[in-house]
Amino acid sequence: MKENKILILATTASMIEQFNMHNVSILKSLGAEVHVGTNFKKPGNITQLESEEFKKNLENMGVRCHQIDFLRGIGTRKENKKALEETISIIQENQISGIHAHSPLGGIIGRRAAHKTRTKILYTTHGFQFFKHGPIKDWLLFFPVEFFLFSMDGCNYND
């Protein structure tokens, strides 16, 4: 039986630390080889020192950690392309069988990488970027991208 290798993907290390440690534990208990792809150098709302300690803790748990140079927010075209290439490389080099993506940009890049490598993906939204009374800027920016990726995922409302 082929071993499941799961990549948990988010733009910041703090997203992994604050929202995904339970997912890491569940996957480990199911016998999966767990990989984390995130920006440990610009870790979000934890300090650089906390990020380094967090990475050590993950590695001590047997989790393989990968630096991906995600930017926060929407990033730039150049940096997003670099993060996409880094993600694809991690998937291919480690024979990743599934991705669990988080955060708006992590979700976008994760789904693009999954489609390019034909890898299964689950995207969990956090702080959804558009909702009934959300800022119009977020609607204009994220809704078309999410709608496009949703349709690429083969989803429809009749399922």
Side-chain angles (χ1 to χ4, degrees), residues 10-149:
T11 52
T12 62
S14 62
M15 171 65 79
I16 303 292
E17 181 190 48
Q18 295 166 3
F19 296 102
N20 284 283
M21 292 310 296
H22 192 65
N23 294 330
V24 169
S25 296
I26 290 170
L27 289 166
K28 297 280 298 162
S29 73
L30 293 171
E33 180 179 298
V34 179
H35 295 247
V36 166
T38 192
N39 195 332
F40 289 101
K41 295 176 184 174
K42 296 179 182 175
N45 62 9
I46 61 175
T47 67
Q48 182 63 46
L49 185 61
E50 290 170 322
S51 178
E52 291 168 12
E53 187 66 28
F54 174 58
K55 184 177 177 184
K56 285 179 193 171
N57 290 340
L58 285 171
E59 290 168 342
N60 288 338
M61 293 172 61
V63 174
R64 303 223 13 228
C65 296
H66 306 277
Q67 170 64 30
I68 300 176
D69 295 323
F70 286 114
L71 293 180
R72 288 194 77 175
I74 62 168
T76 66
R77 181 182 161 105
K78 181 180 177 182
E79 293 299 318
N80 290 343
K81 183 177 179 187
K82 180 181 177 189
L84 175 61
E85 290 167 352
E86 291 170 341
T87 304
I88 290 170
S89 178
I90 291 165
I91 293 166
Q92 292 173 335
E93 290 173 13
N94 295 281
Q95 300 175 338
I96 299 296
S97 55
I99 303 167
H100 190 184
H102 301 266
S103 66
L105 187 60
I108 290 168
I109 290 175
R111 287 181 284 172
R112 293 278 297 136
H115 286 288
K116 286 184 175 287
T117 59
R118 300 181 186 270
T119 305
K120 294 178 183 178
I121 185 160
L122 172 67
Y123 170 48
T124 301
T125 60
H126 299 266
F128 217 51
Q129 299 305 308
F130 44 90
F131 53 95
K132 189 174 182 177
H133 300 290
I136 190 74
K137 173 186 72 132
D138 286 356
W139 271 90
L140 293 172
L141 183 65
F142 287 101
F143 186 79
V145 174
E146 290 290 342
F147 186 82
F148 173 74
L149 289 171

